[in-house]
Amino acid sequence: MTLRALLLALLTTTPVLAQTDPSTAALNAAQMLEEASIALAEADSARDRVRALTETILAYEAGLTAMRDGLRRAATREAQLTAELRTREKEIAQLLGVLQTIETTSPPVLMLHPSGPLGSARAGMMLSEVTPSLNARALALARDLQEVQTLRQLQQSAADTLTEGLTGVQTARTELSTAIADRTDLPQRFVEDPIRTAILISSTETLEGFASGLSEISEGEIAATSADISGLQGQIPLPVQGVMLHRAGETDAAGVKRPGVVLATQPRSIVKSPTAATIRYRGPLLDLGNLVILEPQPGLLFVFSGLQEVYGNTGQVIPEGTPVGLMPGETPEIGAILSTTSDGTGTDRSETLYIEVRQDNSPVDPESWFRISKDG
């Protein structure tokens, strides 16, 4: 069974999962995956392959997230039904015992009620009302038992499909790195001088100091640009799907205040350039780990730090949506994905991306540029 097929199975086999946000996400991811697979098959250039592989990875990520949510709900529903069935089985066993006693009791004895004929009549009326109710309960029990069996079959078949999906997305990530390295059709505003870059890094103590010296790392003049994204201010999408952990100026767990925001992301999430931009720097810096500094317009810098892998070359002008890196961490194992311990509030987002925006070499609140909701 393919990832797309199982996503659709989540929507059709169990009514309890239908018409929910995960089901909508699963449908959208299935559509994305199908379109991305077609685009990947038709891609005949490095640029096309980068775009198709990016869409494939995003579709797999969305699909696996929806599947994980759906399967956890299925497991929770199964546990709930199992508990309810235990209670019902006890009640039904008691009622069946009463009926069996009635059926095996001869009519003369049945008429001998302690309260006399009136009591016998009342008892008969009560039992006649119990029988339809018992039948209804038995039918409900049969439906619930069938639902439990369906839920268990769904979870059992999910493990193999998830393994296939996780292998597929890992392969796509590896191929993406190769496709980006093979890409030669991007404009180049300047060529980085590695010696000057090394000198600037060694003499820098702050991000501000490094940002102010970016013009020194090129081999020659940096070509001018008239790029202008001021009309997008406040509406730029985030470079990765995540949950807000810290807003600008808030103190983090280590007691440090930074002028940027911190997002919690899932491991190995792909980070994209939210606009067309020039890569001004990529690589390690200070205590920020691997980072990418993008320049969407003169005097404006987007800093994304906390990456494990970084893509592209310094000086390249990349289009909107171009991958610039991958988050660190390990892809969860099948057991963790099928676990019911996550409550869907972002506890599976174990990695953090720091986003800082600098305008005329001064930090500004990223929320003045990016569209950031409560949930990222």
Side-chain angles (χ1 to χ4, degrees):
M1 183 183 289
T2 64
L3 177 63
R4 183 178 187 275
L6 187 59
L7 290 173
L8 296 176
L10 278 170
L11 312 180
T12 58
T13 56
T14 51
V16 71
L17 295 179
Q19 304 304 321
T20 62
D21 288 341
S23 70
T24 301
L27 276 176
N28 292 339
Q31 182 66 28
M32 286 173 59
L33 188 60
E34 184 172 350
E35 293 175 355
S37 297
I38 295 173
L40 186 58
E42 296 177 349
D44 55 4
S45 68
R47 182 169 188 169
D48 290 339
R49 284 188 59 78
V50 168
R51 183 184 302 108
L53 284 166
T54 301
E55 293 303 320
T56 299
I57 293 171
L58 293 175
Y60 266 117
E61 289 178 350
L64 291 173
T65 297
M67 185 185 300
R68 177 166 47 243
D69 193 356
L71 288 173
R72 284 173 179 166
R73 293 191 183 199
T76 301
R77 174 62 175 167
E78 179 191 346
Q80 176 187 355
L81 283 174
T82 301
E84 291 178 357
L85 288 174
R86 288 196 183 101
T87 302
R88 290 184 191 177
E89 287 172 346
K90 183 177 180 181
E91 293 176 354
I92 290 175
Q94 292 174 344
L95 290 171
L96 284 174
V98 172
L99 288 180
Q100 288 173 354
T101 300
I102 294 171
E103 291 174 354
T104 57
T105 303
S106 60
V109 177
L110 182 62
M111 293 298 293
L112 297 177
H113 191 277
S115 300
L118 181 58
S120 297
R122 288 175 176 172
M125 293 174 63
M126 292 174 63
L127 288 172
S128 67
E129 293 177 356
V130 165
T131 302
S133 174
L134 178 59
N135 289 335
R137 292 187 184 183
L139 290 173
L141 175 64
R143 287 194 297 269
D144 289 343
L145 284 171
Q146 181 60 46
E147 184 176 352
V148 168
Q149 291 176 356
T150 301
L151 290 170
R152 287 179 180 172
Q153 291 172 359
L154 180 63
Q155 292 175 78
Q156 289 170 0
S157 64
D160 291 339
T161 305
L162 283 170
T163 300
E164 178 185 344
L166 293 172
T167 301
V169 71
Q170 183 57 41
T171 300
R173 288 180 180 130
T174 302
E175 293 180 356
L176 176 64
S177 179
T178 302
I180 290 176
D182 293 341
R183 195 169 173 176
T184 59
D185 59 344
L186 291 175
Q188 192 90 17
R189 283 185 60 200
F190 66 93
V191 177
E192 180 185 20
D193 186 327
I195 296 178
R196 292 183 177 183
T197 300
I199 292 173
L200 178 61
I201 292 175
S202 64
S203 63
T204 294
E205 297 182 354
T206 64
L207 177 59
E208 179 180 1
F210 184 79
S212 64
L214 281 178
S215 60
E216 303 172 8
I217 69 174
S218 65
E219 289 185 351
E221 293 293 327
I222 298 177
T225 175
S226 59
D228 184 2
I229 64 166
S230 56
L232 301 176
Q233 193 163 358
Q235 299 300 317
I236 298 175
L238 289 170
V240 66
Q241 184 179 10
V243 174
M244 176 74 74
L245 283 184
H246 301 289
R247 297 187 183 277
E250 290 183 346
T251 303
D252 62 19
V256 177
K257 288 185 179 181
R258 295 187 186 275
V261 300
V262 178
L263 300 180
T265 77
Q266 292 184 355
R268 307 299 289 164
S269 291
I270 192 168
V271 180
K272 303 183 300 177
S273 176
T275 66
T278 301
I279 300 177
R280 294 302 304 268
Y281 175 75
R282 70 169 186 91
L285 182 67
L286 303 172
D287 61 344
L288 298 173
N290 267 340
L291 59 78
V292 173
I293 300 178
L294 302 178
E295 183 187 60
Q297 70 180 34
L300 181 66
L301 299 177
F302 293 160
V303 181
F304 306 143
S305 75
L307 303 167
Q308 178 169 313
E309 299 176 35
V310 287
Y311 298 142
N313 294 319
T314 301
Q316 284 182 334
V317 181
I318 56 176
E320 176 185 348
T322 300
V324 294
L326 281 179
M327 296 300 296
E330 298 294 332
T331 302
E333 297 181 354
I334 299 301
I337 290 177
L338 297 178
S339 171
T340 59
T341 56
S342 175
D343 57 6
T345 58
T347 54
D348 55 346
R349 294 181 170 93
S350 58
E351 307 305 321
T352 55
L353 179 73
Y354 175 69
I355 300 176
E356 184 168 320
V357 177
R358 304 190 67 84
Q359 199 162 1
D360 298 326
N361 206 31
S362 296
V364 298
D365 189 343
E367 294 190 63
S368 66
W369 282 94
F370 287 95
R371 184 174 66 249
I372 304 178
S373 64
K374 179 181 179 182
D375 296 328

